[in-house]
Amino acid sequence: MAGTGLRIGQGYDVHRLVEGRRLILGGVDIPWEKGLLGHSDADVLIHAIMDALLGAAGLGDIGKAFPDNDPALENISSVVLLDRTMALLNEAGYRVVNVDATIVAQRPKLAPYLPAMRALLARHMGVAEGCVNVKATTEEHLGFTGDGSGMAAQAVALLEQMEKGWQK
Ligand code: MG
């Protein structure tokens, strides 16, 4: 069934790096001396992608959909939040065309983990791996990402609005 229109969205997120937390990026556990601090598992990459998806669909943002003062969401896996975001998108009649994202972090080296993130994200967004791209960059020791006090992520998402009943 033909789509009825394309919609673009962007997302941006930041979390502080602290000792005593797991580092989870794109749903992948990464061995590291610090992890990201947040109400959920603080997966900064998935949060940026969710904001891009919600933005493209005109559904507000992650804070509106999943309030960070909701006790039910404490330490929740962001993969679960991504699944719930996809359910909202499906309900509104959107499917993902493609997503491109960048993690900004000085350390650790993330290149070895990017293929696993890509595969996991594609599976949960219901698209082929070729429709998801995850990159990582440093900021050359500048600013809060450069001095290791936090990580940031940016994402853009393209959605296609489908005719009613496209899934049936
Ligand atoms: Mg966040």
Side-chain angles (χ1 to χ4, degrees):
M1 197 173 287
T4 55
L6 294 172
R7 309 265 304 218
I8 194 167
Q10 66 87 225
Y12 175 69
D13 195 31
V14 169
H15 281 271
R16 188 181 292 275
L17 270 170
V18 296
E19 284 171 9
R21 292 269 299 186
R22 288 158 67 198
L23 177 59
I24 301 169
L25 291 171
V28 175
D29 246 294
I30 296 168
W32 184 235
E33 60 199 37
K34 290 181 175 180
L36 295 171
L37 182 64
H39 185 64
S40 66
D41 65 2
D43 188 327
V44 70
L45 173 61
I46 289 187
H47 292 184
I49 290 173
M50 286 169 59
D51 254 355
L53 295 170
L54 291 167
L59 292 173
D61 62 31
I62 186 173
K64 180 182 160 207
F66 309 104
D68 67 4
N69 56 5
D70 182 347
L73 301 181
E74 196 170 351
N75 288 321
I76 196 169
S77 165
S78 295
V79 175
V80 173
L81 298 180
L82 177 60
D83 288 343
R84 292 186 192 171
T85 300
M86 288 308 303
L88 292 174
L89 257 56
N90 289 337
E91 212 172 288
Y94 294 102
R95 73 172 187 88
V96 174
V97 177
N98 77 302
V99 167
D100 184 30
T102 304
I103 306 164
V104 185
Q106 191 64 42
R107 293 187 305 155
K109 278 241 172 297
L110 296 175
Y113 304 100
L114 299 181
M117 294 179 201
R118 181 187 207 185
L120 184 149
L121 293 167
R123 195 164 68 245
H124 285 269
M125 290 190 284
V127 296
E129 282 185 36
C131 300
V132 179
N133 197 68
V134 182
K135 312 181 293 297
T137 188
T138 72
E139 284 185 313
E140 300 289 339
H141 297 282
L142 294 167
F144 70 86
T145 67
D147 70 13
S149 52
M151 289 185 179
Q154 303 190 23
V156 288
L158 190 68
L159 302 182
E160 186 171 27
Q161 189 163 31
M162 307 303 287
E163 289 170 16
K164 273 207 159 59
W166 66 279
Q167 288 170 297
K168 284 153 202 155

